Amino acid sequence: MRIGLLGTGNVAQALAHGWSTAGHDVLLASRRPKDRTGLGLPVAGLSETAAHAEVLVNATPGAVSVELLRSIGAPALAGTLLIDIGVGLSDDFTELSHPNSSLGEQIQEAFPLTPVVKTLCTMDSTVMIAPDGLDGPSTVFLSGDDAEAKRTTGRLLTDLGWPPSSQLDIGGITTARGQEHFALLFMGIAGGLGHHTFNINVVTRPSA
């Protein structure tokens, strides 16, 4: 697939490498693409990337994501699956930008013709593309209102190494709040462990 990644930071670069290795056509988007030519990955402007992509991935800081998407424009985003990974946090990582909502919900509300799926925001970028590097299986969550958009997202997660057994659909886009609000616990766990390379696993009772 043609995947456009909005952002050029660690998350966008990691995912671009992961999906490129799986055979997808990836393109990073930047407001200043000429300043981001040394990444070893193709970089274009925001509108050019949106026009190129079958799937867009929001890997921008959550506090500015809606503004950035509005600069591209709703008509350019209509009908395109948007996988949202952003989380809005304060500069000191202690407060959420969307304490009573979620970025995923706000994007979906602002762009009703764009199916939004929230995923991958509960882990570090190193785990996003190498879940098998952890000491055992773990869980990646999906939130969204469009069933086909979630199926496509699930296939792209599989290409990153997440088998269907590790993917948990937790419901509509309102459930993105739980994913994003986990960021505060994530920071606490990281502080306790002394590193960010971990994930959580949903463990249930054995089947009867």
Side-chain angles (χ1 to χ4, degrees), residues 7-21:
T8 57
N10 292 337
V11 170
Q13 290 183 53
L15 290 172
H17 281 297
W19 277 317
S20 177
T21 299

Side-chain angles (χ1 to χ4, degrees), residues 61 151 187:
R151 282 192 287 270
M187 297 306 298

Side-chain angles (χ1 to χ4, degrees), residues 66-135:
V66 173
E67 174 191 351
L68 181 141
L69 290 166
R70 283 187 173 134
S71 74
I72 298 172
L77 300 175
T80 301
L81 165 58
L82 177 66
I83 299 175
D84 176 36
I85 300 173
V87 176
L89 285 169
S90 59
D91 291 341
D92 61 0
F93 303 107
T94 62
E95 295 183 5
L96 293 163
S97 301
H98 312 94
N100 299 310
S101 180
S102 68
L103 173 61
E105 289 174 89
Q106 294 196 2
I107 293 174
Q108 187 62 90
E109 182 179 3
F111 303 94
L113 300 182
T114 301
V116 177
V117 178
K118 190 81 186 189
T119 192
L120 287 171
C121 70
T122 54
M123 65 195 74
D124 184 70
S125 60
T126 56
V127 177
M128 293 178 188
I129 61 168
D132 57 352
L134 300 177
D135 187 18

Side-chain angles (χ1 to χ4, degrees), residues 63 74 86 101 153 173:
S101 180
T153 302
I173 195 62

